[in-house]
Amino acid sequence: MLRTLLILLLVLPVTGCNSTEPMVDPFDPDDVDYAAIDNPAFAEDVRPLLVARCGDCHGADDDLDATSWDGLIAGSSGSEALIAYDSENSLMIELMTKLPTEHPAYEAHQLDPSEVDFLKRWIDQGAKNADGAVPYAGTDRSRVYVCNQMAGQVSIIDIENMVVARNISFGAPMATTPHDVDVEPDGSAWYVALINANSVLKYDAATNELMATALLDPTFKPGMLALDPNSDRLYSGRSFSDLSGGQSVYTIERSTMTATEAAIPYTRPHPIAVTNDGSYLLSGSLADNIIASYDTADPELELTDQVTVDGQQKSFVHYAIAPNNNVAVLTSQLSQELYFIDISDPENLSILSVVQVGNQPWHPTYSPDGSRVYVPNRLSNSVSVVDASDPANPSVTATIEDERFAMPHGSGITADGRYLFVANRNQDFEDGPRYTPRYPFGDNANVGHLSVIDTQTLEVIKVLEVEEFASGVSVYEP
Ligand code: HEC
């Protein structure tokens, strides 16, 4: 017994103590030559740096977890932390490179320039995880596309995490000016109208690579798009800025991107929509008080009805079609009205009712159950909520106000009707209120943004900063 105890006493100190094992040095980014790493790997190169440089303040229990890939791409409650392939507009990089020295977060985000360049490299190569996955890639996630007209870009928002996932650039902003966007019903491709490039582009949604271009007449500036989910058709009206006097719209076959110009009997056809069964195209004019319907059987379209609305100049901006396909709503810029139009027989259009909304109502959106229409009012900086359950007697039941609205323009909604997305132009224009971006980066005088509205509370629950002049919006859900 004593012998056993003695042996134990002799053995224990040796096995129980680590002091003889070599010490592992803690990771120190200063020991790494980041300039030499051309292709940063997340697990080996990126994560250790993030843990060392960000972990004290942005760990697993914080609003932003910058120490894991999942945490980093999910962003904070206020914003994305990075945008794959776009380090220039990635918040984490902007915090490192654009903050004024007096900003409280300045010190916290000062990294060695070689470390900043290394992180930029990783983001510009796709911010891939250890398995080589690009954040939010693929076509199986819900997303919002929003044009950034004066930045020559489309931003793609991931709906589940409510963050900007990608920015797709078309080239020189003034030469491209993307205005509206639409998505293939199966999510496989998206389309964008480039006003100043006289073209409509088709992009692969999985890779966000250009697939094909429909080049339109050089005098035709495409504006709003209307996609028929039942056929191969996409239609384009003319931009607000198209003052050519041209009297036509375009029919585009999406599979081939073949474009056919269809003659119409009026100028400035901005509003455009296709009925839910695809049989008729609805159009109208910014210049004349005209609304019209066309049979779509032939790509050159056949005029089936044309109605002239009495009174002052209306300047019809844009349509939305009720889910039951019996009613269309149409905004009138100059008379600040929303028209309810009976389209149950599109060859006999008739106006059911007119309701006063805000100043310069823009792109309206129907709730998926047809009970409401949401109308962003460009110059009142508000969104009218219109009870549309009885289209002969609509009424404004609420007006959503938010100090961050700044020239609300486009809109879109989730399939369950819960979240409404409103694009804000936010330009120095007509003395309207401006949105002040969350961080003073110096280069964001005209940041556009997307307001996310909870339609149950009618409150703006998040503001997603995108690029200059957010305009047309399209929502895709698998
Ligand atoms: C010493 C603490 C500290 C460190 C270290 C730090 N941050 Fe921050 N970070 C902050 C604070 C504080 C804010 C909020 C600043 C504000 O609200 O003005 C912030 C904000 C952010 C935001 C914006 C979140 C939002 O939505 O406003 C991002 C992204 C971010 N940090 C990324 C990083 C990354 C990546 C690192 C490492 C490279 C890092 N930070 C290191 C303190 C830190």
Side-chain angles (χ1 to χ4, degrees):
M1 184 61 172
L2 190 73
R3 244 185 100 181
T4 334
L5 220 128
L6 257 171
I7 292 167
L8 268 173
L9 280 170
L10 283 169
V11 171
L12 264 174
V14 179
T15 52
C17 176
N18 291 328
S19 61
T20 53
E21 288 175 15
M23 280 283 286
V24 180
D25 279 339
F27 173 77
D28 183 351
D30 290 341
D31 297 337
V32 180
D33 180 6
Y34 283 103
I37 306 176
D38 292 333
N39 298 300
F42 184 75
E44 293 79 8
D45 309 321
V46 181
R47 189 167 174 274
L49 177 65
L50 295 173
V51 172
R53 292 283 189 249
C54 325
D56 287 349
C57 307
H58 305 293
D61 297 329
D62 296 307
D63 183 33
L64 167 70
D65 175 10
T67 64
S68 73
W69 188 78
D70 286 343
L72 198 59
I73 73 155
S76 69
S77 54
S79 167
E80 72 286 341
L82 62 83
I83 302 170
Y85 299 106
D86 189 2
S87 66
E88 175 66 25
N89 293 306
S90 287
L91 185 54
M92 61 180 266
I93 301 296
E94 296 188 288
L95 286 165
M96 297 171 193
T97 54
K98 299 180 185 170
L99 277 183
T101 49
E102 66 273 16
H103 194 277
Y106 175 82
E107 286 297 338
H109 299 100
Q110 289 313 295
L111 272 67
D112 184 273
S114 72
E115 296 171 357
V116 177
D117 286 347
F118 162 82
L119 290 171
K120 283 167 85 172
R121 230 168 10 258
W122 172 64
I123 293 170
D124 288 332
Q125 290 174 12
K128 293 175 186 142
N129 67 7
D131 300 325
V134 173
Y136 306 113
T139 57
D140 57 351
R141 297 182 69 93
S142 299
R143 49 197 189 265
V144 185
Y145 293 83
V146 54
C147 291
N148 306 153
Q149 184 164 320
M150 292 302 282
Q153 294 185 1
V154 158
S155 292
I156 307 173
I157 280 91
D158 183 80
I159 293 182
E160 192 184 321
N161 281 342
M162 292 291 186
V163 289
V164 179
R166 291 291 300 275
N167 283 331
I168 309 301
S169 199
F170 308 109
M174 282 313 290
T176 53
T177 45
H179 187 68
D180 195 27
V181 60
D182 233 322
V183 194
E184 200 60 52
D186 67 0
S188 62
W190 52 273
Y191 305 86
V192 61
L194 302 187
I195 298 173
N196 285 347
N198 318 103
S199 55
V200 175
L201 274 42
K202 177 177 187 175
Y203 273 76
D204 185 324
T207 60
N208 291 305
E209 302 276 352
L210 179 66
M211 295 172 79
T213 299
L215 195 58
L216 313 177
D217 185 90
T219 65
F220 189 98
K221 292 182 183 295
M224 300 308 294
L225 297 173
L227 185 144
D228 174 13
N230 306 301
S231 77
D232 195 29
R233 293 281 184 74
L234 179 70
Y235 301 91
S236 174
R238 288 177 183 256
S239 159
F240 217 89
S241 63
D242 185 330
L243 301 170
S244 66
Q247 299 191 340
S248 62
V249 295
Y250 266 95
T251 304
I252 299 165
E253 305 296 337
R254 304 198 298 273
S255 54
T256 57
M257 292 301 277
T258 313
T260 306
E261 193 165 7
I264 58 165
Y266 43 87
T267 63
R268 303 196 70 198
H270 190 270
I272 196 163
V274 60
T275 56
N276 296 344
D277 60 3
S279 311
Y280 293 89
L281 189 74
L282 302 179
S283 163
S285 173
L286 288 169
D288 306 307
N289 290 356
I290 290 175
I291 56 176
S293 67
Y294 297 84
D295 187 323
T296 58
D298 190 290
E300 287 191 28
L301 307 174
E302 183 198 337
L303 181 69
T304 44
D305 196 17
Q306 179 177 326
V307 173
T308 301
V309 178
D310 293 335
Q312 68 162 108
Q313 191 187 344
K314 304 293 177 189
S315 219
F316 290 125
V317 179
H318 201 47
Y319 283 107
I321 295 191
N324 69 10
N325 206 30
N326 285 332
V327 179
V329 290
L330 176 61
T331 50
S332 154
Q333 178 196 10
L334 299 180
S335 63
Q336 312 181 9
E337 292 164 321
L338 183 71
Y339 278 72
F340 282 75
I341 303 160
D342 185 345
I343 58 163
S344 53
D345 173 8
E347 304 199 3
N348 280 297
L349 300 172
S350 67
I351 291 165
L352 286 166
S353 59
V354 183
V355 65
Q356 199 77 30
V357 286
N359 194 0
Q360 298 209 356
W362 229 246
H363 304 168
T365 286
Y366 251 102
S367 65
D369 67 1
S371 67
R372 281 177 174 176
V373 177
Y374 301 98
V375 187
N377 301 302
R378 205 169 71 128
L379 290 192
S380 343
N381 288 295
S382 63
V383 175
S384 300
V385 182
V386 181
D387 182 345
S389 47
D390 177 4
N393 286 295
S395 60
V396 175
T397 53
T399 302
I400 308 171
E401 315 249 6
D402 187 278
E403 60 185 16
R404 294 164 296 180
F405 282 144
M407 302 183 82
H409 192 113
S411 65
I413 197 162
T414 51
D416 63 3
R418 181 71 192 265
Y419 298 108
L420 176 73
F421 302 98
V422 174
N424 291 261
R425 178 168 171 173
N426 190 34
Q427 281 187 306
D428 212 352
F429 186 71
E430 297 179 13
D431 297 329
R434 303 293 306 282
Y435 165 74
T436 307
R438 297 176 60 224
Y439 291 98
F441 290 143
D443 65 349
N444 51 12
N446 291 317
V447 159
H449 57 288
L450 193 70
S451 307
V452 184
I453 295 163
D454 183 337
T455 60
Q456 290 184 355
T457 60
L458 300 182
E459 272 166 18
V460 177
I461 55 161
K462 193 160 182 178
V463 169
L464 293 160
E465 292 181 7
V466 290
E467 301 307 314
E468 188 168 351
F469 188 170
S471 54
V473 170
S474 188
V475 179
Y476 167 76
E477 286 177 272

